[in-house]
Amino acid sequence: MAAPFKLSILVGDDPGRPPAEVAKGFEQAEIAAGLQLIPLESNEAWTKKQEEIASWGTPPIRISSHYLEGLPGQQLTGPHADLELQQFYTKRLFSRLADVGVKTIGIGAWCFPVVDGFSKTKTMDQAISYCNFIADQASVHGMVIALEPQALLDSLFPRYLDGLAFAKEVARPEVRVMADLAYFIKLDQPLEHILQSPEYCMHCHMAGANDGQPGVGDMVEIHTHLFRVLRDAGYDKAVSCACPWVSTDGGPLNFGKETAKSLRYLQDLREKVYAS
């Protein structure tokens, strides 16, 4: 049996959840790249930001998300896609991702819209061209891309199998997919779709009920199902808590306390699944 997957946590996506307060014991961290690495800021500003990120004391940062948030108003397909700006942004972002140790770059399907009145063929051409460009950049830094289907019916790949088919169409080893439990649930997709090409799944997101953290709500059955699928897939990468966080004791959110609760929940469930 393959080694168990790692437990990760998203940091830097909300100022109300300071990364330094994350409970100890997570094995990796995922950074909100477009909100923290901001390629349109100067290299001097980036040097200072690196010092701040190092001070957080998080587990090793190996994954990123929030890809285009540092380029407001831009998407990667459609009539307003600015290729020159995107290429500058991408090269600098990838360099900064490498600086903090990221190996897997998550890109949400919202970045690849299908726009009414704009050629679907042109949209596909734009997407494949850009993905070839980022595959080149990823290769330079030893990274992979994880395209995240997000149940958006006006995107190029709303469902997991759509994302898988698109990644295979691009046909670059650096371009793969991400599995997000919330979107599987939203469009009633079988988790077993992950098993169709398990080598393509590079990252996984999960939350609890009503988008709260894992451990919130009666989600044990679906979480157990997901963990068994990942076990059967030989998946040894990361499962991230990439979600809004809520207080479970009726008071103000205590991020450290809540992350500790979620971590225990995930550790116990992972141990149970791999022991069975």
Side-chain angles (χ1 to χ4, degrees):
M1 182 181 295
F5 54 80
K6 301 169 182 64
L7 298 175
S8 176
I9 185 167
L10 172 63
V11 295
D13 63 322
D14 189 317
R17 305 195 292 264
E21 294 182 8
V22 170
K24 302 302 181 186
F26 284 95
E27 294 146 330
Q28 291 187 1
E30 171 180 341
I31 193 166
L35 299 175
Q36 297 294 336
L37 281 58
I38 313 180
L40 300 187
E41 288 188 349
S42 69
N43 287 325
E44 181 181 7
W46 172 234
T47 297
K48 294 179 180 177
K49 189 65 181 185
Q50 283 181 274
E51 295 172 358
E52 178 190 333
I53 291 170
S55 76
W56 292 347
T58 64
I61 297 172
R62 295 292 179 261
I63 310 109
S64 71
S65 55
H66 294 67
Y67 185 74
L68 272 189
E69 276 81 346
L71 198 57
Q74 269 294 299
Q75 291 173 299
L76 302 173
T77 56
H80 307 298
D82 185 331
L83 182 59
E84 183 179 6
L85 180 58
Q86 290 169 5
Q87 290 184 343
F88 170 81
Y89 178 91
T90 300
K91 287 180 179 179
R92 185 174 276 191
L93 180 61
F94 275 45
S95 176
R96 293 180 179 184
L97 287 166
D99 287 343
V100 298
V102 166
K103 294 298 183 183
T104 301
I105 302 171
I107 305 180
W110 75 266
C111 298
F112 297 90
V114 176
V115 179
D116 284 344
F118 187 75
S119 166
K120 181 68 177 290
T121 299
K122 176 65 173 175
T123 297
M124 192 70 167
D125 288 346
Q126 287 176 322
I128 291 176
S129 176
Y130 183 75
C131 284
N132 274 294
F133 173 72
I134 57 175
D136 291 341
Q137 303 308 309
S139 178
V140 168
H141 296 290
M143 298 169 172
V144 294
I145 312 300
L147 301 174
E148 181 182 16
Q150 295 177 302
L152 298 170
L153 298 180
D154 60 351
S155 69
L156 268 182
F157 39 89
R159 296 172 179 82
Y160 185 83
L161 290 185
D162 299 327
L164 181 61
F166 176 76
K168 290 182 175 181
E169 177 74 13
V170 175
R172 295 288 300 270
E174 299 85 3
V175 178
R176 302 289 166 140
V177 289
M178 182 193 304
D180 190 312
L181 179 62
Y183 303 125
F184 272 86
I185 293 171
K186 187 171 183 178
L187 293 184
D188 195 26
Q189 302 170 79
L191 290 168
E192 284 74 16
H193 284 171
I194 296 169
L195 297 172
Q196 290 199 17
S197 295
E199 72 279 10
Y200 268 80
C201 188
M202 290 291 110
H203 189 49
C204 182
H205 280 167
M206 67 178 296
N210 300 316
D211 289 332
Q213 60 265 29
V216 170
D218 185 12
M219 298 281 285
V220 174
E221 184 176 353
I222 187 68
H223 287 160
T224 301
H225 185 186
L226 172 65
F227 281 17
R228 284 175 176 159
V229 166
L230 296 178
R231 178 201 62 193
D232 293 348
Y235 180 80
D236 60 358
K237 299 165 185 68
V239 172
S240 275
C241 298
C243 54
W245 289 78
V246 299
S247 173
T248 58
D249 61 11
L253 177 66
N254 182 319
F255 192 45
K257 181 188 294 184
E258 297 299 345
T259 55
K261 290 179 183 177
S262 286
L263 177 60
R264 286 195 298 273
Y265 170 83
L266 293 170
Q267 288 172 330
D268 290 348
L269 187 59
R270 181 178 63 176
E271 181 178 356
K272 178 182 176 181
V273 166
Y274 277 85
S276 61

